[in-house]
Amino acid sequence: MSLRIKTVVDKFVEELKEALDADIQDRIMKEREMQSYIQEREREVAEREAAWKAELSRREAEIARQELRLKTERENLEKEKSVLMGTASNQDNQDGALEITVSGEKYRCLRFSKAKK
């Protein structure tokens, strides 16, 4: 009888070892699958982040170009206004002359008269 019990116990232990080995292998496979999934998700997120940063960089560059264009247009407008209208300033001179600057040239006007039609 003792041999029979030993055989049953040995068989039980062997089956238990096999079940444990199968469980360990299953857990290892699940762990590998999980690691693979995590790596894939991290790669996807990194790709989206890189694309987002590239788009942000392009937009910032476009904004900088537009700001430069607006600044240049503003400067050109100021130059045009200066050329077309000149800049006049009433000097508090003793002779009451009006000084006008056109394109960097200063002109003094001592007398005013109505423009002829």
Side-chain angles (χ1 to χ4, degrees), residues 24-35:
I24 290 171
Q25 291 301 320
D26 187 47
R27 288 177 188 233
I28 289 172
M29 290 293 288
K30 286 181 180 179
E31 180 67 25
R32 286 181 184 159
E33 289 174 1
M34 184 60 74
Q35 287 298 323

Side-chain angles (χ1 to χ4, degrees), residues 16 72 98:
L16 186 58
T72 303
L98 176 66

Side-chain angles (χ1 to χ4, degrees), residues 74-90:
R74 188 175 296 121
E75 289 171 355
N76 289 340
L77 176 62
E78 289 301 319
K79 288 177 186 175
E80 288 178 31
K81 282 172 43 180
S82 176
V83 167
L84 294 174
M85 298 178 63
T87 54
S89 61
N90 188 2

Side-chain angles (χ1 to χ4, degrees), residues 31-116:
E31 180 67 25
R32 286 181 184 159
E33 289 174 1
M34 184 60 74
Q35 287 298 323
S36 177
Y37 173 78
I38 289 170
Q39 289 171 350
E40 178 66 20
R41 292 289 294 140
E42 286 174 343
R43 185 188 59 75
E44 289 173 1
V45 169
E47 287 175 357
R48 281 200 311 268
E49 182 181 19
W52 181 82
K53 285 181 179 179
E55 179 65 22
L56 179 62
S57 179
R58 281 191 295 274
R59 288 182 181 186
E60 287 173 341
E62 179 62 26
I63 288 170
R65 281 192 296 275
Q66 289 178 1
E67 286 176 343
L68 182 62
R69 189 178 319 134
L70 286 174
K71 181 182 175 188
T72 303
E73 287 180 20
R74 188 175 296 121
E75 289 171 355
N76 289 340
L77 176 62
E78 289 301 319
K79 288 177 186 175
E80 288 178 31
K81 282 172 43 180
S82 176
V83 167
L84 294 174
M85 298 178 63
T87 54
S89 61
N90 188 2
Q91 298 289 325
D92 192 14
N93 297 330
Q94 290 178 347
D95 59 4
L98 176 66
E99 283 190 1
I100 299 173
T101 305
V102 178
S103 298
E105 299 283 329
K106 284 190 176 186
Y107 299 92
R108 294 188 75 209
C109 183
L110 295 172
R111 218 167 77 191
F112 300 96
S113 62
K114 220 176 201 179
K116 295 181 184 178

Side-chain angles (χ1 to χ4, degrees), residues 11-22:
K11 185 177 178 185
F12 175 76
V13 169
E14 187 62 34
E15 289 175 354
L16 186 58
K17 283 181 182 179
E18 289 174 3
L20 286 173
D21 285 344

